[in-house]
Amino acid sequence: MVYIIGAGPGDPELITVKGMKLLQKAGVVIYAGSLVNKELLNEVPAHCEIHDSASMTLDEVLGVMERASREGKEIVRLHTGDPSLFGAIREQMDGLDRLGIHYEVVPGVSSFCATAAALKKEYTLPGVTQTVILTRMEGRTKVPESEDIEQLASHNATMVIFLSVGMMEEVAAKLAKKYAKDTPVAVVYKASWPQQKIVRGTLENIAGLVQKEGIRKTALIVVGWFLGDEYELSKLYDSQFTHEYRTGSME
């Protein structure tokens, strides 16, 4: 069996309990070495075979899985964050299907969740926005024309931008065509890691602030007025609001 596990955003304690238990009994671990916190490898058994996929091709990864499967070993494929987001796991799952190898996906805590926690903010504020767009700028990986970041920005929703901080100036320029220039922006470098760094600004000045801090990768860009201080109180705890578990007050 192959377990494709989300390792979380960086803090080794943010892997799920299920993910940790599977890691602790793994016979083979293939981990994304450029992103996964190597402290997690301290949890594997002494006999565990470890491979860093940073320098491996898809065929090499599948080859290790196929051989380990024939040997009857439990295989853990350890991805950063949650593997469903920019994890390139579909091609691995399709490969395992072709090989007739059973697998299970174990979700993890995404870096966009760790980013909100670091900022102490809520992405979906009543009266501000109820939509979160997760996206990236086009780079070496193409983005469909209909998902160009400028078009997505026209919604003025909360936006979380992955894999794009190295193009911060271009990102800010595109967003400023649809958002107001004073829209708050935050860049969180290595959310939940000891090296975590937060840069706050607006679309007008964030590129310069990020450049000054020397942040070129491993950071998320978050944009929107959820970073502000004005919002409506939730109906969930409103004394005048009746729902299945509470009768509203008439006072």
Side-chain angles (χ1 to χ4, degrees):
M1 174 73 95
V2 174
Y3 296 95
I4 301 171
I5 298 174
D11 182 341
E13 293 186 349
L14 289 179
I15 191 172
T16 64
V17 173
K18 183 172 184 176
M20 180 64 82
K21 286 181 177 178
L22 290 168
L23 193 61
Q24 289 169 340
K25 64 177 185 179
V28 173
V29 170
I30 307 171
Y31 76 105
S34 60
L35 296 168
V36 169
N37 192 329
K38 292 178 178 59
E39 285 186 32
L40 286 169
L41 300 179
N42 295 333
E43 300 294 330
V44 305
H47 65 270
C48 184
E49 177 185 324
I50 299 173
H51 297 266
D52 181 352
S53 65
S55 60
M56 297 170 72
T57 65
L58 174 62
D59 286 343
E60 288 171 336
V61 169
L62 291 172
V64 170
M65 291 177 176
E66 184 178 22
R67 187 257 306 159
S69 180
R70 286 199 309 268
E71 295 171 355
K73 295 178 178 178
E74 296 287 342
I75 305 152
V76 166
R77 177 64 168 112
L78 203 57
H79 281 266
T80 187
D82 179 88
S84 68
L85 288 171
F86 305 106
I89 64 167
R90 174 63 187 271
E91 59 201 43
Q92 295 175 70
M93 293 189 291
D94 286 348
L96 292 170
D97 285 335
R98 288 192 295 271
L99 293 167
I101 298 173
H102 296 293
Y103 60 88
E104 180 181 330
V105 180
V106 180
V109 178
S110 172
S111 58
F112 87 90
C113 299
T115 291
L119 293 168
K120 297 182 173 66
K121 295 294 183 181
E122 180 182 350
Y123 287 130
T124 52
L125 284 180
V128 178
T129 180
Q130 295 290 286
T131 301
V132 183
I133 297 173
L134 308 179
T135 190
R136 62 168 297 172
M137 274 280 285
E138 181 171 305
R140 295 176 69 180
T141 298
K142 297 292 185 182
V143 171
E145 188 176 337
S146 61
E147 295 179 10
D148 179 81
I149 204 164
E150 185 179 331
Q151 291 200 49
L152 295 178
S154 66
H155 297 287
N156 268 229
T158 293
M159 191 176 289
V160 181
I161 306 169
F162 288 72
L163 305 167
S164 304
V165 75
M167 300 176 280
M168 190 68 245
E169 189 170 350
E170 185 180 353
V171 171
K174 278 182 168 283
L175 294 175
K177 293 179 181 179
K178 301 296 182 180
Y179 290 93
K181 290 185 179 180
D182 63 345
T183 300
V185 183
V187 170
V188 180
Y189 170 76
K190 302 202 80 166
S192 85
W193 291 73
Q195 306 96 309
Q196 176 181 287
K197 185 182 294 186
I198 297 173
V199 180
R200 302 174 193 263
T202 66
L203 285 176
E204 281 192 296
N205 64 11
I206 193 66
L209 295 172
V210 168
Q211 183 179 26
K212 184 178 179 181
E213 291 294 334
I215 299 173
R216 301 294 301 168
K217 60 181 181 177
T218 328
L220 284 191
I221 306 163
V222 292
V223 184
W225 285 101
F226 78 95
L227 290 165
D229 296 320
E230 295 184 7
Y231 62 96
E232 297 174 6
L233 296 181
S234 168
K235 296 295 185 186
L236 183 61
Y237 304 111
D238 187 342
S239 64
Q240 304 299 312
F241 189 72
T242 299
H243 56 65
E244 181 182 359
Y245 299 101
R246 188 184 66 237
T247 301
S249 169
M250 299 303 293
E251 296 180 4

